[in-house]
Amino acid sequence: MITRTSSPQPTLKPPRAVGPERHTKDVVPAWQRSLSQAVRTVSELTDLLGLGPEVGTAAAGEDFPLRVPRGYVDRMRREDPHDPLLLQVLPTAAELRTTPGYSHDPLGERQAAAAPGVLHKYRGRALLLVTAACAVHCRYCFRRHFPYAEHRLSGEQLDRALRYLADQPSLSEIILSGGDPLSLSDDKLGRLAASLAEIPHLERLRIHTRLPIVLPERVDHNLLEWLTGNRLRPVVVLHANHPQEIDRAVHQAIARLKRADILVLNQTVLLAGVNDDAKVLGRLSEALFSAGVLPYYLHLMDRVEGAAHFEVDADSARRIVGQMMRELPGYLVPKLVQEVAGAPSKLPVSPLGAGEAG
């Protein structure tokens, strides 16, 4: 722990010059072009998959719009309304139901806001909400109702966030989240990372992202340049829920991260109708490991308003993980956890009937 009488005042750095592959203002990166062409309407999505209009509900997307990259749509099965990738992104009438016990802020994050854009829930690490944007709008998103306008990081608000982090010597890790932090440009992320590296007690920079899964072309030279270009040890935590998501392009994106000596982990949300099956989750763990990723967490779903139809009860989850422990080596079994508002950490949920595991 570093103690000092006055904290340094980190500021955003100007962009650094990098090698010839760096994008200029006149060249739009491939990932941004792909993102701009994402599917945004229920009718277009169902047409692409050969499904009838009755499958989705446009009204459910009015407050939380549909958005899904076309490359992710290509991994969905045509003419299958129960495709596990489709179910994660398609607005349906089930979202319009009000369910007791579900809320707009299931994790009490408004109370954890310590500065603009800063959530400080756990000792030793803090989370920086750098954007409201995502490449894909997952229908179970626990921040689908989050008041991002109150936490916009720009100008003085960003300076205040950096000052807060500098004044917390117990922090050793900063987590970039959102939205999805990799929705931002590399120039913005590079300047932010350089500013964070000026805070002496920070040791690690963790990125929580779904983009390498749904938009694998995002992992390009420029991303790796800023992510490995300072003293902070980078960690990338992916979010994949089903083995069908792990295709050749995702393998290649992960391989680029691994070649850059970046630790890559994965967290999964347990979702009814999508992955609430030990064999499916086992295939996911195997697919991740073959790509060089270790399964990290399996989350019980956060009880956000509009997502009740995805919930898997705790006892079912415990049985599923118990079965995984019987069938897989321990390093391929993600830790089953639940996040509870006000708790000092994510809470482990013990599996049922695991027997011996190794």
Side-chain angles (χ1 to χ4, degrees):
M1 181 182 297
I2 296 175
T3 57
R4 45 195 161 75
T5 55
S6 61
S7 302
Q9 301 302 313
T11 56
L12 282 182
K13 295 286 191 180
R16 296 180 295 114
V18 297
E21 293 183 58
R22 186 174 182 84
H23 303 302
T24 68
K25 291 183 179 179
D26 298 325
V27 178
V28 178
W31 69 270
Q32 288 185 339
R33 292 196 298 272
S34 295
L35 190 56
S36 70
Q37 297 163 3
V39 175
R40 294 176 179 271
T41 66
V42 171
S43 60
E44 183 180 12
L45 180 57
T46 54
D47 285 349
L48 286 170
L49 296 172
L51 296 168
E54 72 284 352
V55 172
T57 304
E62 291 178 0
D63 292 331
F64 187 50
L66 182 150
R67 189 183 202 188
V68 55
R70 293 175 185 275
Y72 191 74
V73 176
D74 289 342
R75 291 173 243 171
M76 299 176 186
R77 296 190 294 261
R78 285 185 54 81
E79 300 181 354
D80 182 359
H82 304 293
D83 177 84
L85 275 58
L86 173 65
L87 293 178
Q88 295 180 59
V89 302
L90 181 69
T92 65
E95 296 178 43
L96 302 176
R97 302 176 193 140
T98 299
T99 305
Y102 283 72
S103 72
H104 283 197
D105 186 16
L107 303 182
E109 291 194 317
R110 295 190 186 197
Q111 287 70 43
V118 178
L119 300 182
H120 194 177
K121 295 189 282 187
Y122 305 140
R123 180 172 175 79
R125 58 233 187 253
L127 190 145
L128 199 57
L129 297 173
V130 297
T131 180
C134 282
V136 62
H137 290 175
C138 302
R139 309 315 299 177
Y140 53 87
C141 178
F142 67 94
R143 291 199 185 114
R144 57 183 291 169
H145 305 291
F146 191 81
Y148 286 103
E150 300 173 13
H151 294 270
R152 186 168 291 128
L153 284 179
S154 60
E156 173 58 24
Q157 286 188 301
L158 178 55
D159 291 340
R160 287 171 57 195
L162 291 171
R163 286 197 296 270
Y164 175 83
L165 299 176
D167 286 336
Q168 303 297 316
S170 65
L171 293 176
S172 59
E173 181 171 72
I174 186 68
I175 303 165
L176 301 190
S177 186
D180 193 308
L182 295 190
S183 297
L184 292 179
S185 72
D186 291 309
D187 281 344
K188 288 181 179 178
L189 289 166
R191 292 196 300 272
L192 177 59
S195 297
L196 292 168
E198 285 190 338
I199 301 175
H201 48 264
L202 293 182
E203 299 173 5
R204 293 179 301 277
L205 177 64
R206 195 197 316 176
I207 312 292
H208 282 191
T209 180
R210 192 142 159 78
L211 261 79
I213 301 298
V214 302
L215 197 72
E217 55 265 47
R218 179 63 183 96
V219 184
D220 59 13
H221 169 84
N222 292 276
L223 183 149
L224 298 175
E225 183 77 16
W226 67 261
L227 189 53
T228 60
N230 61 65
R231 65 172 187 83
L232 298 177
R233 178 74 167 93
V235 179
V236 172
V237 181
L238 304 176
H239 175 184
N241 292 324
H242 194 278
Q244 194 174 315
E245 295 178 317
I246 314 298
D247 66 357
R248 182 179 179 183
V250 172
H251 267 260
Q252 293 170 341
I254 293 169
R256 289 192 286 272
L257 292 168
K258 298 291 289 183
R259 283 196 298 269
D261 193 30
I262 296 169
L263 176 63
V264 187
L265 307 171
N266 182 73
Q267 56 184 347
T268 294
V269 180
L270 190 58
L271 302 167
V274 173
N275 59 12
D276 54 337
D277 179 273
K279 294 189 181 300
V280 169
L281 289 172
R283 295 204 316 271
L284 173 60
S285 286
E286 296 279 9
L288 288 166
F289 188 74
S290 71
V293 181
L294 277 178
Y296 172 41
Y297 277 146
L298 176 62
H299 292 267
L300 293 181
M301 194 196 73
D302 300 313
R303 305 187 94 192
V304 64
E305 185 68 46
H309 55 294
F310 285 115
E311 185 172 37
V312 178
D313 67 85
D315 283 344
S316 296
R318 294 167 68 198
R319 283 191 291 271
I320 289 169
V321 175
Q323 184 178 345
M324 292 178 70
M325 293 180 69
R326 291 193 297 272
E327 298 178 359
L328 295 170
Y331 58 84
L332 291 186
V333 181
K335 183 185 298 183
L336 181 62
V337 295
Q338 182 175 23
E339 189 161 359
V340 176
S345 68
K346 291 179 176 62
L347 303 179
V349 180
S350 298
L352 281 177
E356 293 185 1

